Amino acid sequence: MSNTGANRITEQKVLQDELKSIRKGARVYKQQQNCSIFFLSSADREMAQSKKTMDSLVEEYKDMERLSGGGQDGGR
Amino acid sequence: MEATHLARLRQEQDKAIEETENKIAQWQQYQSDYEALHRRLRTLPDKVEHDVMVPFGSLAFMPGRLVHTNEVMVLLGDNWFVERSAKQAAEIVSRRIKAVEESLEKLREEKRLLSPRQVFTQELEDMAQGSSDMKEIVEKYDSDTEKEWRVQHKKNVRVYREKLKKDKSTPKPEKKDEPVSDEALWARLDELEKLEAEQHEFDKMDDDVEEAGVTTKGRQPSPPPAEQQRRVSWADEARHDGSDTESDEEEEEESTSASDYDTDTEEEMARTQMSRITFTHSSPQKSSTEGTSTSNTEDSGEVPQIQSPSDIYKQFLETPQPKSILKKKKTKDRTMQERKAAELEREKAKAKAAEDLKNAFTGTVVENPTRGAGTAETCTAPPTRPVSKFRAQRQQRGGAKR
């Protein structure tokens, strides 16, 4: 599985780092999902979006960990 | 079950679950794509132009602008496109998202159904290894032994049925209890016969009461007189007794002597005749002669041969020939003569019909004397046909001219 929970979180982290490191006037384009076209956006907007996505992914990952960890504890 | 079989089963189940999960992932991707498109379509009409990076082949891009932001070409399928506004396209997308969610739900349900099979297979594996509390009951099957058993079983069944038949056919040995049960049986038979006789008496009493014109309010069972003792008798039994064999009534007939009611002879008769019942029917002639004298027997000489209901009409109701509907060339004399002849014929026919009607019924007829006399009178006097005024005048003229 290429898009596991941990991988997606890592992707978002990398994205945030890249957005922080670009120069001030640089244009940021966002790819339309499942398309080859890129729409013009801004670094701040994308950073906010990325953080939101990160939070949801982390929550999902924690829930999965809790379920899998609870099962293992019950087995013990 | 063998371990290899279980392993194979487990493999197939895992494969099925994996396929389902792949399908779920695919449909989830479709769902997220549609949702992203829906977001984009909602924001597209906000600006007249959008700055974009236009793909230039598969590896290069060119900066460009997206104009006509409210004109969207939507693919409907099979290379059919439709031009819609951004809002309309968004609505189409939301309907597709709904369809995708339904498919996803079905796939999740499928996965839910497949998962318990893995658990069951795991239990079977544990049973085979002996690590679980449940034990598998194994019944070995061999086709040869099964055939042998089936053949033996058929023989056993045949023997058992023959034995049953023998037991039924062979009379039971007399036991000490035998006479008691027989007596009880005969006593019961006697009771039933008495009940039947009483019922017959009641029926006859009702008929008698109707004759006398008295109505009985309540019926009370009365024992049959000693002289007229009744019993159930069959046709064969009647032959043995030497009485009249033919009777078209039901099984009961009167026995005049008390000796016929002797229990011993009755027992013998019953024993010999109980198994078979035959009925014979007497001819109408004999039954009419056996009846009471009050029946009308004026036509003693003639014996009507009645085989069917139509014969009754032919014998007893001789209707005149039907009149022709064609107009005849009549002279006055002829009409007078014809009319007289027709009237005479009619009178004769009616008189004969009245007489025959009295003989049509062969049973006993008991009528109210006053009423009967009245009807006889009316039957004998044929009704005169009313003649019209004009006809009467013509008749007079015709008579006068002569």
Side-chain angles (χ1 to χ4, degrees):
Chain A
M1 286 281 190
S2 60
N3 284 336
T4 55
N7 288 341
R8 283 156 78 183
I9 290 169
T10 316
E11 281 174 6
Q12 294 301 320
K13 276 184 187 171
V14 166
L15 176 63
Q16 283 173 19
D17 290 337
E18 288 291 326
L19 285 168
K20 279 176 197 170
S21 65
I22 55 170
R23 59 184 173 84
K24 210 174 179 182
R27 282 180 282 188
V28 177
Y29 289 87
K30 188 186 177 184
Q31 187 182 13
Q32 182 62 28
Q33 202 162 337
N34 204 30
C35 292
S36 311
I37 196 161
F38 291 82
F39 285 87
L40 184 65
S41 181
S42 66
D44 299 329
R45 202 187 298 172
E46 292 309 312
M47 183 66 96
Q49 190 70 34
S50 173
K51 279 179 182 173
K52 230 191 255 180
T53 311
M54 181 85 149
D55 292 338
S56 65
L57 283 170
V58 164
E59 232 177 87
E60 204 179 301
Y61 188 72
K62 278 180 184 174
D63 291 336
M64 276 174 64
E65 286 287 306
R66 214 180 294 141
L67 285 167
S68 59
Q72 285 176 8
D73 290 338
R76 287 177 191 170
Chain B
M1 277 180 99
E2 292 180 16
T4 50
H5 297 153
L6 286 169
R8 180 83 177 87
L9 177 65
R10 188 65 186 266
Q11 193 184 2
E12 284 298 316
Q13 286 171 351
D14 293 342
K15 191 177 162 188
I17 288 174
E18 196 180 323
E19 281 175 9
T20 310
E21 282 174 355
N22 291 339
K23 283 179 192 172
I24 288 169
Q26 191 180 26
W27 282 93
Q28 279 174 341
Q29 186 63 35
Y30 294 156
Q31 189 183 22
S32 80
D33 292 344
Y34 272 120
E35 281 169 358
L37 178 62
H38 189 257
R39 284 193 293 272
R40 179 59 66 185
L41 284 167
R42 277 168 64 189
T43 57
L44 212 56
D46 296 346
K47 284 163 50 174
V48 177
E49 290 175 351
H50 286 268
D51 292 319
V52 293
M53 285 297 268
V54 180
F56 220 67
S58 60
L59 298 168
F61 294 91
M62 285 282 283
R65 285 203 188 98
L66 200 67
V67 295
H68 302 293
T69 53
N70 207 30
E71 292 165 25
V72 178
M73 199 74 83
V74 179
L75 172 65
L76 301 174
D78 195 29
N79 274 339
W80 279 93
F81 292 85
V82 66
E83 197 169 345
R84 296 269 102 183
S85 67
K87 191 182 172 188
Q88 287 167 335
E91 285 167 6
I92 291 169
V93 167
S94 36
R95 286 192 285 274
R96 290 185 188 181
I97 288 168
K98 212 173 171 183
V100 166
E101 280 169 1
E102 284 169 10
S103 302
L104 265 172
E105 187 55 42
K106 283 178 188 173
L107 285 165
R108 285 185 193 122
E109 182 66 30
E110 193 181 317
K111 191 182 171 184
R112 252 180 266 143
L113 289 169
L114 289 170
S115 326
R117 293 183 189 182
Q118 283 182 319
V119 173
F120 183 61
T121 311
Q122 186 61 44
E123 283 176 6
L124 284 173
E125 282 177 351
D126 293 340
M127 273 201 298
Q129 287 166 10
S131 56
S132 75
D133 296 334
M134 285 190 282
K135 299 289 176 192
E136 192 182 352
I137 299 166
V138 178
E139 191 174 329
K140 287 182 183 174
Y141 175 79
D142 184 20
S143 59
D144 295 331
T145 51
E146 195 72 23
K147 275 181 192 173
E148 285 172 14
W149 175 84
R150 204 167 284 148
V151 166
Q152 189 60 39
H153 180 66
K154 276 184 185 173
K155 282 181 190 170
N156 292 345
V157 165
R158 210 182 303 133
V159 164
Y160 175 71
R161 281 184 184 158
E162 281 168 8
K163 195 185 169 188
L164 270 177
K165 275 184 190 173
K166 274 184 188 174
D167 289 341
K168 276 184 185 175
S169 60
T170 54
K172 290 180 185 176
E174 290 184 4
K175 298 175 187 175
K176 285 185 182 178
D177 295 335
E178 195 75 27
V180 177
S181 64
D182 273 347
E183 282 174 15
L185 271 172
W186 301 130
R188 179 69 183 149
L189 269 170
D190 293 341
E191 281 174 27
L192 290 168
E193 283 168 2
K194 279 181 188 172
L195 279 169
E196 257 187 278
E198 281 170 10
Q199 190 61 41
H200 191 66
E201 276 284 297
F202 296 145
D203 293 339
K204 210 185 173 191
M205 264 169 65
D206 286 342
D207 293 338
D208 294 339
V209 161
E210 281 174 15
E211 279 180 33
V214 175
T215 57
T216 54
K217 284 185 182 177
R219 291 184 181 180
Q220 290 181 1
S222 60
E227 289 96 17
Q228 284 185 343
Q229 286 181 353
R230 300 169 194 279
R231 65 180 178 89
V232 175
S233 64
W234 313 119
D236 293 336
E237 200 178 348
R239 276 192 214 119
H240 285 295
D241 287 334
S243 58
D244 189 8
T245 58
E246 293 172 341
S247 166
D248 58 349
E249 300 291 332
E250 59 243 16
E251 307 82 285
E252 286 186 2
E253 45 177 275
E254 294 183 1
S255 64
T256 52
S257 62
S259 63
D260 288 335
Y261 212 63
D262 193 12
T263 52
D264 291 335
T265 54
E266 190 187 332
E267 282 176 13
E268 285 173 11
M269 294 290 187
R271 269 181 203 159
T272 53
Q273 300 299 329
M274 260 171 94
S275 60
R276 198 176 173 189
I277 298 167
T278 54
F279 294 97
T280 54
H281 296 274
S282 65
S283 62
Q285 186 188 0
K286 285 190 182 179
S287 62
S288 65
T289 52
E290 281 175 0
T292 56
S293 60
T294 53
S295 65
N296 298 314
T297 52
E298 291 183 15
D299 290 347
S300 56
E302 292 178 5
V303 179
Q305 296 294 323
I306 294 166
Q307 301 293 326
S308 67
S310 62
D311 295 341
I312 295 170
Y313 286 99
K314 285 175 193 171
Q315 288 285 335
F316 298 109
L317 294 172
E318 286 182 7
T319 54
Q321 292 294 320
K323 270 188 181 175
S324 170
I325 58 171
L326 298 171
K327 285 184 183 177
K328 292 177 188 174
K329 289 182 184 176
K330 296 178 187 176
T331 57
K332 288 180 185 175
D333 292 339
R334 276 180 74 184
T335 54
M336 278 290 292
Q337 285 172 9
E338 278 181 356
R339 231 177 265 122
K340 281 180 186 173
E343 280 180 14
L344 279 169
E345 279 179 14
R346 254 181 260 125
E347 283 171 18
K348 278 184 190 173
K350 280 177 185 171
K352 200 174 180 185
E355 286 173 6
D356 291 337
L357 272 170
K358 289 174 188 175
N359 297 331
F361 181 60
T362 56
T364 55
V365 178
V366 180
E367 288 176 337
N368 192 357
T370 53
R371 214 186 290 168
T375 51
E377 280 174 4
T378 52
C379 282
T380 51
T384 53
R385 192 180 173 186
V387 180
S388 71
K389 225 191 274 180
F390 301 105
R391 193 174 278 181
Q393 281 174 8
R394 271 184 268 140
Q395 284 174 6
Q396 280 172 9
R397 271 181 240 155
K401 274 190 180 177
R402 282 180 189 169

